[in-house]
Amino acid sequence: MNLEYPYEIVKQLASSNAVVLFSTSGNDCMCTVAKRLLLGLGVAPITIELDHHVAGPDIQAVLSRLAADGSRQPIPAVFVGGKFLGGIETLIASHINGTLIPLLKDAGALWL
């Protein structure tokens, strides 16, 4: 599998949008939690539903490499300000410890 093309897709989306959420549609509760948390904060992330994207499996392979922290499931994957924030655990931890809002403001996703 050539990961260059899917990597470029991820890179382009992340660098040209304040917040990008790679997700799956349907009943994945962690993806739903990530979406609701961001929307609840007033952020409208660009959401890429990998199960509906032609390069979804290849993009997921790229995200697995980025999430080289041993996570079995790299989805949902969140990018803020062009940088890989992480998965659901990192997103929630950042919200709880108070670092998420400043990241979102710096990325231009919030104007509070």
Side-chain angles (χ1 to χ4, degrees):
M1 169 177 41
N2 179 3
L3 292 181
E4 186 174 316
Y5 175 67
Y7 173 79
E8 289 301 320
I9 292 172
V10 172
K11 182 179 173 184
Q12 174 63 30
L13 285 167
S15 66
S16 61
N17 296 285
V19 180
V20 180
L21 173 65
F22 289 93
S23 179
T24 57
S25 61
N27 295 327
D28 185 339
C29 64
M30 291 302 111
C31 291
T32 300
V33 168
K35 290 173 192 173
R36 288 189 180 185
L37 173 58
L38 291 169
L39 291 170
L41 292 172
V43 174
I46 299 299
T47 303
I48 309 302
E49 301 290 356
L50 294 176
D51 51 335
H52 295 293
H53 195 285
V54 67
D58 295 333
I59 293 171
Q60 191 162 345
V62 169
L63 297 171
S64 292
R65 287 186 175 198
L66 287 175
D69 61 358
S71 298
R72 280 195 244 166
Q73 181 61 284
I75 306 301
V78 181
F79 288 77
V80 177
K83 297 178 184 168
F84 180 59
L85 178 65
I88 189 67
E89 291 178 7
T90 306
L91 179 66
I92 291 174
S94 298
H95 179 55
I96 291 171
N97 70 23
T99 60
L100 183 59
I101 298 293
L103 283 175
L104 295 170
K105 285 181 182 177
D106 290 344
L110 286 177
W111 296 277
L112 300 174

